[in-house]
């Protein structure tokens, strides 16, 4: 699966292509069906939270981490097991006894005569039993293991928060790109209609002998150029709508926008933005949670050498075919476990020193230091990202009045050029230049508004404004 952060960057490139496609960087192709569903920005974000696969994957990871955190608690439940054994071998007994530790404790009971030499004669032996062990007191070992899982679950939750913020930004970016693409399409359509009117005016003048034929041929060439521009603008809008559908996780091929484009929110001061991000940014909080998990893992490793007290009990039947030192040989010659036994015991164990545990503890402490260095790096990147986003918003906001003034001037220039052309004082070249200048100014204004909206959304993502 492609990570959503990669697909979001790819979507951004497609969105930009959708906006500037009218400028001549694309070729006309067959268009997919138009969008049949439209949403406001709020509706798009809510829909993405419910349907975007990346969010659902991140939430599933959180649930998985929480379930993993509960695993150590299972050590407080009794362990119950059943076994049945039949084997053959020698039975050279000597004094001694032991308990084999696994899912069931089976105390060894010797019954054959002790010997110093032994024999290689085999005898049958059988065993069947049911036993249970119950943890009584672990001196904090299980709680230390649980703390590791809890910290990792918290880290997964912060990662899910970061994923949601990334998706929200992707939705906002795609949403504003559709508005920009629509503005570009309007500019392209209007330029085509104006150019067609000029072509018809030039044709009438040429037919009447009032204008040279070059005015008509130039008007025809301009009409073809702007016709191609509006075809590309339509394709650009379809691309932007497709990107929006992908951003929200919709199965539709394209999703349109509804209502008016939201205005860019007011900006906090840079100092306030830094403070907000330091307190809420999920990447910082995730890094801190991972550090806490590593510290808890170090404590859990150290806790492995703590004492342990458990209760054990077994009910069993056994039999051996070897001649006993006293008493009768049981029926079945050792093949039937018919001799009953039971036991209840309190087991205390304490692994006082384990070199492997000590080495693992040292390695875990070293990983803690790595996490601390990573946190410092994340904070540095966060500060740089916020500063950059702040400047980009300021530049986009400052440039917008310039785009508006350029459009006003371009429209005034076009009006003069058109008046001169209709009065027979201006040439078709002059009018075509004025038309191109006006159309480009309209497109640049649409892109400028998109840049402001997108950069403000990026700044909001940088300071975790959605949390």
């Amino acid at each position: 699966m492609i990570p959503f952060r990669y697909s979001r960057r790819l979507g951004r490139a497609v969105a930009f292509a959708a906006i500037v496609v009218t400028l001549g960087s694309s070729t006309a192709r067959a268009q997919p069906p138009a969008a049949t569903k439209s949403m406001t920005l709020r509706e798009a974000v809510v829909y993405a939270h419910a349907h975007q696969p990346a969010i659902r994957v991140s939430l599933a990871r959180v649930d998985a981490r929480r379930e993993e955190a509960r695993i150590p608690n299972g050590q407080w439940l009794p362990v119950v097991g059943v076994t049945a054994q039949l084997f053959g071998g020698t039975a050279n007994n000597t004094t001694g006894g032991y308990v084999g530790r696994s899912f069931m404790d089976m105390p060894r009971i010797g019954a054959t005569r002790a010997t110093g030499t032994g024999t290689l004669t085999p005898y049958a032996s059988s065993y069947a039993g049911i036993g249970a062990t119950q943890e009584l007191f672990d001196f904090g070992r299980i709680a230390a293991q649980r703390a590791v899982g809890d910290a990792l679950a918290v880290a997964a939750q912060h990662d899910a928060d970061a994923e949601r913020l990334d998706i929200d930004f992707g939705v906002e970016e795609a949403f504003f790109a559709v508005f920009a693409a629509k503005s570009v399409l309007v500019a392209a359509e209007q330029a085509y209609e104006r150019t067609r009117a000029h072509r018809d005016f030039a044709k009438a003048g040429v037919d009447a002998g009032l204008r040279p034929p070059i005015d008509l041929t130039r008007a025809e060439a301009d009409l073809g150029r702007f016709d191609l521009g509006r075809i590309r603008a339509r394709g650009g809008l379809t691309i932007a709508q497709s990107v929006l559908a992908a951003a929200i996780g919709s199965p539709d091929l394209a999703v349109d926008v509804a209502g008016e484009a939201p205005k860019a929110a007011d900006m906090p001061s840079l100092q306030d933005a830094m403070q907000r991000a330091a307190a809420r940014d999920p990447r910082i909080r995730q890094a801190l949670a991972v550090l806490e998990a590593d510290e808890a893992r170090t404590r859990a490793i150290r806790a492995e050498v703590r004492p342990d007290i458990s209760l054990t009990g077994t009910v069993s039947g056994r039999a051996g075919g070897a001649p006993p030192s006293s008493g009768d040989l049981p029926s079945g010659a050792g093949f039937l476990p018919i001799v009953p036994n039971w036991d209840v015991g309190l087991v205390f164990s304490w692994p006082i020193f384990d070199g492997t545990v000590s080495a693992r503890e040292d390695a875990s402490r070293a990983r803690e230091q790595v996490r601390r260095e990573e946190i410092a790096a994340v904070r540095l990147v966060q500060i740089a990202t916020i500063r950059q986003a702040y400047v980009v918003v300021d530049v986009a906001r400052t440039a917008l009045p310039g785009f508006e003034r350029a459009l006003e001037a371009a429209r005034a220039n076009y009006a003069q050029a058109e008046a001169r052309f209709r009065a027979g004082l201006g040439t078709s070249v002059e009018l075509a230049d004025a038309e191109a200048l006006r159309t480009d100014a309209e497109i640049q204004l649409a892109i400028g508004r998109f840049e402001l909206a997108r950069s403000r959304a990026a700044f909001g993502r940088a300071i975790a404004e959605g949390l």
Side-chain angles (χ1 to χ4, degrees):
M1 176 181 175
I2 300 177
F4 182 76
R5 294 180 185 85
Y6 174 80
S7 64
R8 185 175 62 77
R9 289 194 295 269
L10 181 61
R12 181 189 310 171
V14 176
F16 272 112
I19 295 172
V20 301
V21 69
T22 332
L23 299 180
S25 60
S26 304
T27 57
R29 291 182 175 86
Q31 300 177 25
T36 59
K37 180 189 298 183
S38 60
M39 296 182 179
T40 64
L41 179 57
R42 178 60 183 169
E43 291 171 345
V45 171
V46 171
Y47 187 94
H49 290 175
H51 298 88
Q52 175 54 247
I55 288 183
R56 301 175 69 176
V57 169
S58 62
L59 293 178
R61 291 196 187 104
V62 175
D63 292 338
R65 284 295 189 184
R66 288 172 178 168
E67 291 299 324
E68 292 172 359
R70 297 188 180 99
I71 292 176
N73 290 347
Q75 299 177 63
W76 288 112
L77 300 177
V79 178
V80 181
V82 177
T83 183
Q85 303 175 11
L86 176 65
F87 53 91
T90 60
N92 300 315
N93 187 32
T94 184
T95 57
Y98 61 89
V99 174
R101 298 299 304 274
S102 181
F103 66 89
M104 184 174 68
D105 297 333
M106 297 180 293
R108 181 181 180 276
I109 302 173
T112 60
R113 183 182 63 176
T115 176
T117 57
T119 176
L120 298 180
T121 304
Y123 302 95
S125 179
S126 60
Y127 180 93
I130 180 172
T133 58
Q134 172 64 57
E135 183 71 47
L136 293 183
F137 192 70
D138 69 333
F139 294 88
R141 185 188 72 256
I142 297 176
Q145 295 172 357
R146 173 64 191 261
V148 178
D150 290 339
L152 291 175
V154 172
Q157 181 61 61
H158 292 319
D159 183 69
D161 291 339
E163 191 70 51
R164 183 172 67 82
L165 287 177
D166 288 341
I167 290 173
D168 288 351
F169 173 53
V171 171
E172 292 176 2
E173 187 178 48
F175 190 86
F176 292 125
V178 174
F179 273 106
K182 282 189 170 185
S183 298
V184 170
L185 178 58
V186 170
E189 293 281 6
Q190 292 177 350
Y192 175 80
E193 293 299 330
R194 289 192 299 268
T195 305
R196 186 174 63 175
H198 298 157
R199 190 275 313 271
D200 295 341
F201 184 82
K203 185 176 185 303
V206 171
D207 291 343
L210 300 177
R211 286 189 173 276
I214 192 173
D215 283 351
L216 178 58
T217 55
R218 176 58 191 260
E220 291 285 0
D222 288 337
L223 184 64
R225 178 162 62 96
F226 285 110
D227 185 34
L228 179 60
R230 69 173 185 165
I231 292 174
R232 288 171 171 169
R234 290 170 185 166
L237 176 59
T238 303
I239 292 173
Q241 292 171 337
S242 300
V243 172
L244 177 59
I248 66 175
S250 173
D252 298 324
L253 294 178
V255 173
D256 198 9
V257 296
E260 298 182 355
K263 295 183 179 179
D266 293 335
M267 294 279 288
S269 67
L270 185 57
Q271 182 178 1
D272 290 341
M274 292 290 187
Q275 294 175 351
R276 293 183 190 181
R280 297 186 301 189
D281 188 88
R283 291 302 173 201
I284 297 293
R285 300 174 72 179
Q286 180 195 23
L288 292 172
V290 172
L291 172 60
E292 183 179 348
D294 285 335
E295 293 173 343
R297 185 177 290 109
T298 302
R299 293 190 294 269
I301 294 173
R302 188 186 311 120
E304 292 180 11
V305 295
R306 293 178 183 177
D308 185 85
I309 300 175
S310 60
L311 181 67
T312 179
T314 308
V315 176
S316 64
R318 68 188 73 200
S325 58
S326 62
D328 300 328
L329 188 69
S331 301
F335 287 94
L336 299 176
I338 60 176
V339 180
N341 282 284
W342 65 269
D343 65 86
V344 175
L346 194 64
V347 179
F348 173 81
S349 59
W350 188 0
I352 297 176
F353 176 77
D354 188 325
T356 301
V357 172
S358 179
R360 288 168 53 211
E361 183 181 352
D362 293 340
S364 183
R365 285 201 183 94
R367 284 193 297 269
E368 291 177 22
Q369 185 59 34
V370 173
R371 299 300 184 191
R372 294 186 182 95
E373 297 298 337
E374 289 177 348
I375 291 174
V378 171
R379 291 188 185 278
L380 184 62
V381 171
Q382 178 197 52
I383 293 173
T385 301
I386 294 174
R387 287 175 176 171
Q388 179 181 359
Y390 193 90
V391 171
V392 171
V393 173
D394 185 61
V395 171
R397 197 185 298 274
T398 304
L400 195 59
F403 289 125
E404 294 172 347
R405 289 192 299 270
L407 178 58
E408 292 177 2
R411 286 174 174 171
N413 177 69
Y414 171 80
Q416 294 175 6
E418 184 183 34
R420 285 171 53 82
F421 182 76
R422 291 185 178 276
L425 302 177
T427 65
S428 59
V429 174
E430 181 182 279
L431 181 60
D433 289 342
E435 179 63 59
L437 183 64
R438 173 178 175 171
T439 303
D440 181 69
E442 291 174 344
I443 293 175
Q444 291 300 326
L445 178 59
I447 295 176
R449 288 171 176 168
F450 169 78
E451 282 291 344
L452 175 58
R454 182 198 169 277
S455 60
R456 181 59 183 86
F459 178 78
R461 167 61 188 93
I463 65 174
E465 202 168 38
L467 291 181

